[in-house]
Amino acid sequence: MLFKFKSQAAADVIMLQQTAEELLKIIGKPASATGIVTVAQVPGAVAALRQEIERREALGQGQAAATEAEQVVAADFLSAEPISLRQRATPFIELLEVSAAAGKDVVWGV
């Protein structure tokens, strides 16, 4: 399943369910079929994501373990290195920040 995060201020961000659920958990949102991050919630959400990124990188866990599906896809490429949380979260963080600057909420599943 895919999650599509939308805002009236920026392009959609689409990600796999596992990644979306991880990011939503970090920001304290339920990984439900629909949801919203309000403008007022953005600073806390971005801070939580950045804090978790820094924590994992400090522990040497910046890279998530590749799922079975990712391993199959990665086998087709020269480098099969896992993708870090920083890489996975950056488009979502940018969407949150651009949306908040424009005074728009970020939603999914609607």
Side-chain angles (χ1 to χ4, degrees), residues 18 63-68 70-71 82-83 88:
Q18 181 179 359
Q63 296 183 339
T67 65
E68 185 176 330
E70 290 171 335
Q71 289 172 354
I83 299 171
R88 292 179 190 271

Side-chain angles (χ1 to χ4, degrees), residues 19 22-23 26-27 45-64 83-94 96-97:
T19 301
E22 179 181 18
L23 297 181
I26 292 169
I27 66 171
V46 170
L49 288 166
R50 289 196 170 132
Q51 182 178 7
E52 181 62 13
I53 290 167
E54 290 175 15
R55 185 189 73 79
R56 289 187 189 186
E57 288 176 348
L59 294 172
Q61 298 173 349
Q63 296 183 339
I83 299 171
S84 70
L85 178 61
R86 179 179 298 278
Q87 292 169 311
R88 292 179 190 271
T90 296
F92 185 57
I93 291 171
E94 290 173 357
L96 291 171
E97 291 176 331

Side-chain angles (χ1 to χ4, degrees), residues 6-84:
K6 301 186 237 180
S7 169
Q8 293 177 344
D12 296 348
V13 172
I14 300 170
M15 62 183 69
L16 294 174
Q17 179 178 354
Q18 181 179 359
T19 301
E21 287 175 349
E22 179 181 18
L23 297 181
L24 290 171
K25 180 180 177 183
I26 292 169
I27 66 171
K29 290 287 186 176
S32 57
T34 61
I36 185 169
V37 179
T38 65
V39 173
Q41 295 170 330
V42 167
V46 170
L49 288 166
R50 289 196 170 132
Q51 182 178 7
E52 181 62 13
I53 290 167
E54 290 175 15
R55 185 189 73 79
R56 289 187 189 186
E57 288 176 348
L59 294 172
Q61 298 173 349
Q63 296 183 339
T67 65
E68 185 176 330
E70 290 171 335
Q71 289 172 354
V72 170
V73 172
D76 293 336
F77 295 97
L78 295 176
S79 173
E81 294 180 21
I83 299 171
S84 70

Side-chain angles (χ1 to χ4, degrees), residues 94-105:
E94 290 173 357
L95 174 65
L96 291 171
E97 291 176 331
V98 168
S99 298
K104 302 294 182 182
D105 299 329

